[in-house]
Protein backbone atom coordinates (compact mmCIF):
# COMPACT_ATOMS: atom_id res chain seq x y z
CA UNK A 1 0.00 0.00 0.00
CA UNK A 2 2.77 2.42 0.95
CA UNK A 3 4.59 1.61 -2.30
CA UNK A 4 1.52 2.53 -4.32
CA UNK A 5 1.23 5.87 -2.54
CA UNK A 6 4.88 6.66 -3.26
CA UNK A 7 4.40 5.72 -6.92
CA UNK A 8 1.28 7.86 -7.12
CA UNK A 9 3.07 10.82 -5.52
CA UNK A 10 6.06 10.45 -7.86
CA UNK A 11 3.87 10.35 -10.98
CA UNK A 12 1.92 13.40 -9.77
CA UNK A 13 5.20 15.24 -9.17
CA UNK A 14 6.39 14.47 -12.70
CA UNK A 15 3.08 15.63 -14.16
CA UNK A 16 3.22 18.86 -12.15
CA UNK A 17 6.88 19.41 -13.15
CA UNK A 18 5.96 18.88 -16.80
CA UNK A 19 3.09 21.33 -16.48
CA UNK A 20 5.35 23.90 -14.82
CA UNK A 21 7.90 23.57 -17.62
CA UNK A 22 5.12 24.09 -20.17
CA UNK A 23 3.91 27.22 -18.38
CA UNK A 24 7.45 28.59 -18.30
CA UNK A 25 7.84 27.80 -21.98
CA UNK A 26 4.65 29.67 -22.86
CA UNK A 27 5.93 32.68 -20.94
CA UNK A 28 9.30 32.74 -22.70
CA UNK A 29 10.22 34.91 -25.63
CA UNK A 30 10.13 33.81 -29.25
CA UNK A 31 13.94 33.56 -29.37
CA UNK A 32 14.01 31.30 -26.29
CA UNK A 33 11.44 29.06 -27.95
CA UNK A 34 13.56 28.98 -31.12
CA UNK A 35 16.60 28.07 -28.99
CA UNK A 36 14.59 25.26 -27.39
CA UNK A 37 13.56 23.96 -30.82
CA UNK A 38 17.19 24.03 -32.02
CA UNK A 39 18.34 22.27 -28.84
CA UNK A 40 15.80 19.47 -29.22
CA UNK A 41 16.53 19.17 -32.96
CA UNK A 42 20.24 18.73 -32.21
CA UNK A 43 19.46 16.28 -29.38
CA UNK A 44 17.24 14.09 -31.58
CA UNK A 45 19.68 14.18 -34.51
CA UNK A 46 22.07 12.00 -32.49
CA UNK A 47 22.11 8.33 -33.53
CA UNK A 48 22.37 7.31 -29.86
CA UNK A 49 18.93 8.78 -29.06
CA UNK A 50 16.26 6.20 -29.83
CA UNK A 51 13.43 7.09 -27.47
CA UNK A 52 11.35 10.22 -27.21
CA UNK A 53 11.87 12.50 -24.23
CA UNK A 54 9.53 14.90 -22.46
CA UNK A 55 10.57 18.32 -21.23
CA UNK A 56 10.44 18.07 -17.43
CA UNK A 57 11.86 21.45 -16.48
CA UNK A 58 13.58 24.53 -17.77
CA UNK A 59 16.21 25.26 -15.15
CA UNK A 60 17.72 28.32 -16.80
CA UNK A 61 16.54 30.55 -19.63
CA UNK A 62 18.42 33.80 -20.15
CA UNK A 63 18.42 36.25 -23.01
CA UNK A 64 21.00 39.02 -23.50
CA UNK A 65 20.77 41.71 -26.16
CA UNK A 66 23.89 42.73 -28.10
CA UNK A 67 24.39 45.42 -30.69
CA UNK A 68 24.13 42.94 -33.56
CA UNK A 69 21.96 40.22 -32.07
CA UNK A 70 20.79 38.26 -29.06
CA UNK A 71 22.46 35.60 -26.92
CA UNK A 72 20.22 32.88 -25.42
CA UNK A 73 21.25 30.28 -22.83
CA UNK A 74 19.05 27.31 -21.80
CA UNK A 75 19.43 24.51 -19.29
CA UNK A 76 16.85 21.72 -19.55
CA UNK A 77 15.90 18.43 -17.96
CA UNK A 78 14.38 15.79 -20.23
CA UNK A 79 12.84 12.46 -19.18
CA UNK A 80 12.43 9.36 -21.34
CA UNK A 81 8.96 8.45 -22.63
CA UNK A 82 7.49 5.21 -23.93
CA UNK A 83 7.54 6.53 -27.53
CA UNK A 84 10.42 6.44 -29.98
CA UNK A 85 11.99 9.67 -31.19
CA UNK A 86 10.07 9.64 -34.48
CA UNK A 87 6.70 9.54 -32.64
CA UNK A 88 7.65 11.77 -29.71
CA UNK A 89 4.94 14.37 -30.41
CA UNK A 90 2.05 11.91 -30.01
CA UNK A 91 -0.40 12.73 -27.24
CA UNK A 92 -0.29 9.21 -25.78
CA UNK A 93 3.46 9.30 -24.98
CA UNK A 94 3.95 8.83 -21.25
CA UNK A 95 6.99 9.61 -19.14
CA UNK A 96 8.63 6.41 -17.91
CA UNK A 97 8.96 6.25 -14.14
CA UNK A 98 12.43 4.66 -14.33
CA UNK A 99 13.34 6.27 -17.65
CA UNK A 100 16.61 7.99 -18.42
CA UNK A 101 16.92 11.61 -17.40
CA UNK A 102 18.95 13.89 -19.63
CA UNK A 103 20.57 17.22 -18.86
CA UNK A 104 20.84 19.60 -21.81
CA UNK A 105 22.71 22.90 -21.85
CA UNK A 106 22.65 25.12 -24.91
CA UNK A 107 23.70 28.57 -26.03
CA UNK A 108 22.84 30.38 -29.22
CA UNK A 109 23.74 33.72 -30.71
CA UNK A 110 21.04 35.01 -33.05
CA UNK A 111 21.53 37.75 -35.65
CA UNK A 112 19.08 40.55 -34.90
CA UNK A 113 17.83 41.19 -38.44
CA UNK A 114 16.49 37.75 -39.34
CA UNK A 115 16.89 35.83 -36.07
CA UNK A 116 19.22 33.41 -37.82
CA UNK A 117 21.45 31.27 -35.59
CA UNK A 118 24.99 32.60 -35.92
CA UNK A 119 26.75 30.48 -33.27
CA UNK A 120 25.28 27.39 -31.59
CA UNK A 121 26.42 25.19 -28.69
CA UNK A 122 24.39 22.18 -27.50
CA UNK A 123 25.50 19.62 -24.93
CA UNK A 124 23.16 16.85 -23.73
CA UNK A 125 24.14 13.90 -21.57
CA UNK A 126 22.56 11.58 -19.00
CA UNK A 127 21.94 13.60 -15.83
CA UNK A 128 23.79 11.10 -13.63
CA UNK A 129 26.97 11.67 -15.68
CA UNK A 130 27.04 15.43 -15.13
CA UNK A 131 30.14 16.38 -13.13
CA UNK A 132 31.68 19.71 -12.08
CA UNK A 133 34.27 19.47 -14.87
CA UNK A 134 31.52 19.11 -17.47
CA UNK A 135 29.60 22.03 -15.98
CA UNK A 136 32.78 24.11 -16.22
CA UNK A 137 33.29 23.08 -19.84
CA UNK A 138 29.68 24.01 -20.63
CA UNK A 139 30.03 27.43 -19.02
CA UNK A 140 33.33 28.05 -20.84
CA UNK A 141 31.84 27.03 -24.20
CA UNK A 142 28.84 29.31 -23.69
CA UNK A 143 31.07 32.18 -22.65
CA UNK A 144 33.01 31.65 -25.90
CA UNK A 145 29.76 31.78 -27.91
CA UNK A 146 28.65 34.89 -26.02
CA UNK A 147 31.96 36.69 -26.55
CA UNK A 148 32.55 35.33 -30.05
CA UNK A 149 33.66 37.80 -32.71
CA UNK A 150 30.61 39.39 -34.27
CA UNK A 151 32.24 40.05 -37.63
CA UNK A 152 29.73 39.78 -40.41
CA UNK A 153 26.95 40.96 -38.12
CA UNK A 154 27.02 44.61 -39.10
CA UNK A 155 30.25 46.05 -37.71
CA UNK A 156 31.90 47.80 -40.66
CA UNK A 157 35.61 47.21 -41.03
CA UNK A 158 35.88 44.43 -38.44
CA UNK A 159 36.67 41.77 -41.02
CA UNK A 160 39.29 43.81 -42.88
CA UNK A 161 40.83 45.01 -39.61
CA UNK A 162 41.19 41.44 -38.31
CA UNK A 163 42.62 40.29 -41.67
CA UNK A 164 45.31 42.97 -41.50
CA UNK A 165 46.82 41.13 -38.50
CA UNK A 166 46.89 37.75 -40.26
Amino acid sequence: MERHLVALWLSATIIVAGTTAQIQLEETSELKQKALEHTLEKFYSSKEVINGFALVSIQEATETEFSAGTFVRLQLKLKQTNCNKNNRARADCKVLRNGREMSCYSCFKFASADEMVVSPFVDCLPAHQLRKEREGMRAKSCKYIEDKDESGLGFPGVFSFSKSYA
Side-chain angles (χ1 to χ4, degrees), residues 133-147:
E133 300 83 31
R134 187 67 171 247
E135 288 177 354
M137 184 276 302
R138 286 174 160 186
K140 188 176 180 180
S141 296
C142 278
K143 186 66 176 159
Y144 174 76
I145 295 292
E146 185 176 13
D147 296 341

Side-chain angles (χ1 to χ4, degrees), residues 16-85:
V16 169
T19 305
T20 304
Q22 189 62 36
I23 290 170
Q24 289 176 348
L25 180 60
E26 291 170 355
E27 294 173 355
T28 61
S29 71
E30 186 178 323
L31 279 181
K32 288 179 187 173
Q33 290 181 7
K34 277 188 168 189
L36 176 63
E37 290 170 14
H38 285 298
T39 302
L40 294 175
E41 182 180 308
K42 176 74 173 168
F43 173 70
Y44 284 117
S45 69
S46 172
K47 292 179 182 177
E48 289 82 30
V49 176
I50 299 168
N51 296 91
F53 284 77
L55 178 62
V56 176
S57 67
I58 300 174
Q59 297 166 317
E60 179 184 357
T62 60
E63 189 173 319
T64 307
E65 295 286 327
F66 288 99
S67 59
T70 306
F71 174 76
V72 177
R73 179 189 343 256
L74 298 175
Q75 187 172 358
L76 316 168
K77 286 281 186 194
L78 306 173
K79 185 93 176 192
Q80 184 178 357
T81 66
N82 63 340
C83 295
N84 68 19
K85 70 179 180 181

Side-chain angles (χ1 to χ4, degrees), residues 101-136:
E101 192 171 292
M102 302 295 285
S103 170
C104 289
Y105 195 86
S106 61
C107 304
F108 297 90
K109 195 171 240 184
F110 292 93
S112 60
D114 54 5
E115 297 180 352
M116 180 185 80
V117 175
V118 178
S119 298
F121 170 77
V122 177
D123 183 50
C124 295
L125 73 154
H128 70 277
Q129 292 181 2
L130 186 59
R131 305 282 186 263
K132 291 280 185 201
E133 300 83 31
R134 187 67 171 247
E135 288 177 354

